[in-house]
Amino acid sequence: MLLDPQTGVRAYQFIVDRLDDRRREQYPDGRQKYEDDWTAAHDLEKSYAEAVHAQDPDTAEHLLHKLMNMAALWRNHPHHPDNDTEGGHQPDDTVPPGSRP
């Protein structure tokens, strides 16, 4: 994965979306777990962005790895960050492979 701020934001937003899904499923009991996991993801994404801006690729890569470990719970989800194409967009399942210009 590319070590840029958008990569961290995509991973973070994916995690937060899945946490929101889980919180709704477990409501009201899932609130504290949601808040703890959200805080952990937010702190990782913030530290990742700081490392990218400081041009510290080793730290950025380590933090991105931690974010991706959090996202691993939902590895089979169609919007998982590992499913991003090089352009940072999800593949369009409505267009048959090979038919793009």
Side-chain angles (χ1 to χ4, degrees):
M1 292 187 128
L2 185 61
L3 295 178
D4 66 359
Q6 292 78 19
T7 301
V9 169
R10 279 193 307 273
Y12 166 73
Q13 191 59 55
F14 172 79
I15 292 167
V16 169
D17 289 347
R18 302 299 68 76
L19 292 174
D20 282 342
D21 293 345
R22 187 176 71 189
R23 181 183 52 149
R24 281 190 290 276
E25 290 168 5
Q26 297 174 356
Y27 181 81
D29 300 325
R31 182 174 179 209
Q32 186 61 48
K33 179 69 172 149
Y34 166 84
E35 289 176 2
D36 293 345
D37 289 344
W38 182 93
T39 299
H42 182 264
D43 291 347
L44 281 172
E45 193 279 328
K46 181 180 176 193
S47 296
Y48 168 81
E50 290 169 354
V52 169
H53 288 293
Q55 298 181 348
D56 182 354
D58 293 336
T59 300
E61 188 171 349
H62 173 74
L63 293 166
L64 183 58
H65 180 72
K66 285 184 163 193
L67 271 170
M68 296 308 289
N69 281 344
M70 287 187 80
L73 291 171
W74 303 282
R75 178 64 188 104
N76 293 326
H77 192 282
H79 298 123
H80 190 277
D82 279 345
N83 295 333
D84 283 349
T85 62
E86 284 185 29
H89 303 288
Q90 296 293 324
D92 185 352
D93 294 336
T94 62
V95 178
S99 65
R100 293 186 190 250

